[in-house]
Amino acid sequence: MSFSHTHRTIDTIWRMESAKIIAGLARMVRDVGLAEDLAQDALVIALNRWPETGIPDHPGAWLMTTAKRRAIDLIRRTKLRDQKYVEVAHSMDLYTEVDIDDALDEEISDDLLRLIFMTCHPVLSQDARVALTLRLLCGLTTDEIARSFLVAESTIAQRIVRAKRTLSANKVPFEVPIQEELKDRLSTVLEVLYLMFNEGYSATSGVDWIRPLLCQEALRLGRVLAEIAPYEPEVHGLVALMEIQSSRFRTRVNSKGEPILLMDQNRAQWDQLLIRRGLTALERSRKLGRPPGPYSLQAAISACHAQAPTAAETDWIRISALYEALSRVMPSPIVELNRAVAISMAFGPTFGLQIVDELNTEPSMREYHLLPSVRGDLLLKLGRYDEARTEFERAASLTENERERILLLNRAAACNLGTS
């Protein structure tokens, strides 16, 4: 295995394992910033050693063992050495790799959920909570998070640094809150799981179009949350959305990893069990009798696609109405862009293009690649091939996902032939 290939493999392992490692360390040291630093130390050691020694059979366990040893070394050097080191010594062993793997499987649900609630503490601002949790839970880079928020990378970096300092200064406990305190933090936790799932469903950057493990983790945590907060309709709404969206994973890419757009997917291969689970969760949300929130409305939109036997039979008029409702409860340029797509499918590309053109003046959308992508698609349907090609090329220049860039460049090239 080449040096560069090993480093790419380590990066993939880190993205998969970092949240588990940080969660386990946070339980141990009760300081999320310190937990991340210790985990990063273990990563640096792996980057130095594994290219020479090879990647171990249980890389996540190796990283956790290494990080915990660093934590114990640190505790030995602190003023709390006598008391804390005795506590740690009695509460844990230095496991073998396999032991650590087994222990992680048993502890992972509680630890990750505790970490989410810790980083979503009301002592932090809403934006800081979400940014920090995406950084720790998803292993997203500051650039990827910045693109999700449509803000500068430096802004996100500052939020994350300040958030970790604030949690440490306020000695925020590593626990799942109960009753009213749970409700206070719930909206942020839902937003984090939503963004976590979205990053897995359509990766911001890298060479992969999708990151299924990230989606699976978000969905699993959502299911756990539904057990903790069964009377919160938006919890069930988000679970419904993730279940239904997950049903399409087998059809989102071809055998080469290339993206397959929604209208071109083989619906016979959509996972019917996940669709049924999603529809059941959506019905639970409705039965709680409150006005639908943003996640329930998005789940209802996803359900429209799932229940259409073919792409041509999709009820785009209903989807347009649902997006209209969504724009009222969660107004944003991105929602408006999606509404434009639905309007174009229901009433024709000219009507969708009018909405998209209005979004061109929105400052936060200037570097958002999906705006020119959607505009290019609408122009293509109107037979304005030269303009469409320009938009697809611009979209390709803005995206940081390699698979998406190739897709957009192929669409631009097709404009020269007057095809879609």
Side-chain angles (χ1 to χ4, degrees), residues 368-412:
Y368 187 57
H369 72 283
L370 289 182
L371 179 59
S373 175
V374 169
R375 191 167 191 273
D377 186 65
L378 297 176
L379 289 167
L380 185 61
K381 289 176 179 176
L382 291 169
R384 294 159 62 176
Y385 300 115
D386 288 342
E387 294 172 84
R389 184 185 66 251
T390 299
E391 293 295 329
F392 286 134
E393 288 173 348
R394 171 165 168 72
S397 72
L398 291 174
T399 184
E400 294 189 12
N401 184 281
E402 189 59 32
R403 295 289 186 182
E404 193 167 27
R405 179 180 292 110
I406 293 170
L407 171 68
L408 290 164
L409 290 175
N410 287 340
R411 297 205 70 189

Side-chain angles (χ1 to χ4, degrees), residues 13 62 84 107 110-111 119 146 178 203 209 217 322 350 364 376:
I13 292 168
W62 190 99
K84 190 65 179 178
E107 299 169 352
D110 287 346
D111 277 354
T119 55
I178 57 175
W209 171 247
E217 195 57 47
L322 288 167
T350 300
S364 63

Side-chain angles (χ1 to χ4, degrees), residues 160-180:
I160 292 171
V161 169
R162 285 197 297 265
K164 288 190 284 190
R165 287 175 181 165
T166 301
L167 289 177
S168 180
N170 286 272
K171 295 182 172 57
V172 171
F174 184 71
E175 63 187 15
V176 175
I178 57 175
Q179 297 175 348
E180 288 306 313

Side-chain angles (χ1 to χ4, degrees), residues 208-260:
D208 296 317
W209 171 247
I210 57 176
R211 295 169 60 187
L213 291 178
L214 201 54
C215 289
Q216 290 168 15
E217 195 57 47
L219 177 55
R220 186 186 66 76
L221 291 170
R223 290 170 179 166
V224 173
L225 197 57
E227 297 295 323
I228 295 172
Y231 301 110
E232 294 295 330
E234 279 296 83
V235 174
H236 297 296
L238 179 57
V239 170
L241 174 62
M242 294 191 292
E243 298 274 17
I244 297 171
Q245 295 289 86
S246 295
S247 72
R248 305 176 194 158
F249 265 114
R250 280 181 294 190
T251 63
R252 276 183 59 73
V253 296
N254 62 21
S255 58
K256 298 178 182 178
E258 298 166 338
I260 303 175

Side-chain angles (χ1 to χ4, degrees), residues 52-68:
E52 295 181 3
T53 64
I55 295 174
D57 293 336
H58 302 276
W62 190 99
L63 289 165
M64 178 64 93
T65 302
T66 301
K68 284 195 171 183

Side-chain angles (χ1 to χ4, degrees), residues 48 55 59 75 85 87 102 104 135 158 172 225 232 249 271 277 280 335 346 365 368 375 403 408:
N48 288 330
I55 295 174
I75 290 169
Y85 186 61
E87 290 176 6
D102 293 340
L104 279 177
R135 179 76 181 90
Q158 290 168 5
V172 171
L225 197 57
E232 294 295 330
F249 265 114
D271 191 318
R277 291 181 67 130
T280 299
V335 171
M365 300 290 278
Y368 187 57
R375 191 167 191 273
R403 295 289 186 182
L408 290 164

